[in-house]
């Protein structure tokens, strides 16, 4: 009996540690995209945008809004997954959650706008990536709106599931870095269809990981699925 209690306490401690560590892993995933976004903002501010990125300087508002909102979404959203913080500071969780929602909505909308209306340089053109970006932006927007509807209806498990899915799509750029670096080291510059496939794979991997974690949630009665108390989400 004593050994079982010790095992349960150890398991609970390990789970809490994983929960507290998750936001920092998500922040680490965000570092390169956030730094790249900051560099882009500096370039726009001092007029040093590269010729291939002239579309940004000709219409800077969408890209500036996108970069700022992505930064807020990635940072604030990471801490929404800390269940301990949610329990200790529920008022903060609600206020930060609404700001996360708003920044996520703006991220999705500006991402769609840039995909559909910015002229894409020939080297970056690809029908696969264009379609995937529209699908990802639309899906992220849909998940966020469903997350809002769920929290207004006090459906907490559905709210958390939808917000986790939206955040997974919003973190696509971080996973793209992880996929691109080893491939680029081995094969050099990645262009054309291979580039489009790798970029698309990042969103698919993120969403697949979230779906796997959501499937592990215990439901009332001990069954698995989108239940009431999450392990990590």
């Amino acid at each position: 009996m004593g050994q079982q209690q010790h095992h349960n306490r150890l398991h609970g401690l390990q789970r809490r540690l994983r929960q507290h560590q998750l936001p920092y892993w998500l922040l680490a995933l965000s570092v390169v995209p956030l730094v790249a976004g900051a560099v882009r903002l500096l370039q726009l501010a001092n007029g040093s945008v590269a010729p291939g990125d002239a579309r940004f300087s000709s219409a800077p508002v969408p890209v500036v809004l996108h970069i700022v909102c992505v930064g807020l979404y990635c940072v604030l959203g990471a801490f929404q997954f800390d269940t301990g913080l949610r329990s200790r500071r529920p008022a903060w969780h609600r206020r930060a959650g609404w700001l996360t929602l708003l920044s996520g909505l703006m991220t999705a909308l500006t991402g769609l706008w840039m995909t559909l209306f910015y002229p894409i340089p020939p080297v970056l053109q690809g029908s696969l990536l264009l379609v995937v970006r529209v699908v990802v932006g639309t899906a992220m927007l849909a998940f966020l709106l469903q997350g809002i509807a769920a929290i207004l209806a006090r459906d907490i498990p559905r709210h958390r599931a939808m917000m986790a899915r939206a955040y997974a799509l919003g973190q696509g750029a971080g996973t793209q870095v992880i996929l691109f670096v080893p491939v680029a080291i081995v094969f050099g510059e990645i262009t054309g269809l291979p580039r489009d496939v790798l970029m698309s794979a990042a969103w698919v991997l993120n969403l697949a990981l979230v779906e796997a974690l959501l499937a592990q949630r215990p439901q009332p009665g001990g069954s698995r699925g989108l239940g009431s108390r999450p392990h990590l989400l």
Side-chain angles (χ1 to χ4, degrees):
M1 186 67 176
Q3 289 182 342
Q4 182 63 37
Q5 290 177 342
H6 176 72
H7 174 76
N8 291 340
R9 285 197 295 270
L10 182 60
H11 178 73
L13 177 60
Q14 291 173 337
R15 186 175 64 181
R16 287 194 295 273
L17 286 173
R18 289 196 300 270
Q19 291 168 346
H20 291 309
Q21 290 172 357
L22 180 59
Y24 300 100
W25 285 109
L26 293 174
L27 290 177
L29 186 65
S30 309
V31 167
V32 173
L34 290 177
V35 171
V39 170
R40 178 78 69 194
L41 290 177
L42 289 174
Q43 291 173 339
L44 288 168
N46 60 29
S48 59
V49 176
D53 295 330
R55 63 192 184 281
F56 299 136
S57 56
S58 63
V61 173
V63 69
V64 169
L65 283 174
H66 187 76
I67 292 170
V68 171
C69 290
V70 165
L72 284 172
Y73 188 62
C74 289
V75 173
L76 290 176
F79 289 98
Q80 297 298 301
F81 295 103
D82 189 330
T83 56
L85 183 60
R86 288 203 302 259
S87 300
R88 294 191 308 271
R89 303 184 63 182
W92 181 90
H93 173 70
R94 287 191 295 270
R95 290 193 295 268
W98 282 110
L99 184 54
T100 303
L101 271 169
L102 292 174
S103 61
L105 289 171
M106 188 60 69
T107 295
L109 289 171
T110 53
L112 284 169
W113 193 96
M114 291 189 297
T115 299
L116 295 173
F117 298 108
Y118 270 146
I120 306 299
V123 69
L124 300 180
Q125 287 179 356
S127 55
L128 172 63
L129 190 57
L130 175 64
V131 171
V132 171
R133 279 176 167 160
V134 171
V135 170
V136 167
T138 304
M140 182 177 171
L141 189 61
F143 288 146
L144 289 168
L145 292 175
Q146 290 181 73
I148 294 173
I151 197 60
L152 292 176
R154 299 293 189 268
D155 188 346
I156 305 302
R158 181 171 174 79
H159 167 72
R160 290 176 180 172
M162 291 303 166
M163 294 304 294
R165 290 173 177 129
Y167 190 81
L169 295 179
Q171 277 282 17
T175 306
Q176 286 166 358
V177 173
I178 295 175
L179 294 180
F180 267 76
V181 169
V183 176
I185 290 174
V186 175
F187 297 104
E189 184 179 5
I190 308 163
T191 59
L193 183 60
R195 172 183 175 273
D196 291 2
V197 170
L198 277 178
M199 293 188 71
S200 302
W203 286 302
V204 174
L205 286 173
N206 282 5
L207 196 56
L209 177 59
V210 166
E211 292 298 337
L213 291 172
L214 290 173
Q216 295 176 8
R217 287 183 169 187
Q219 289 186 346
S223 60
R224 294 284 179 175
L226 295 182
S228 58
R229 290 294 295 172
H231 285 269
L232 292 176
L233 299 176

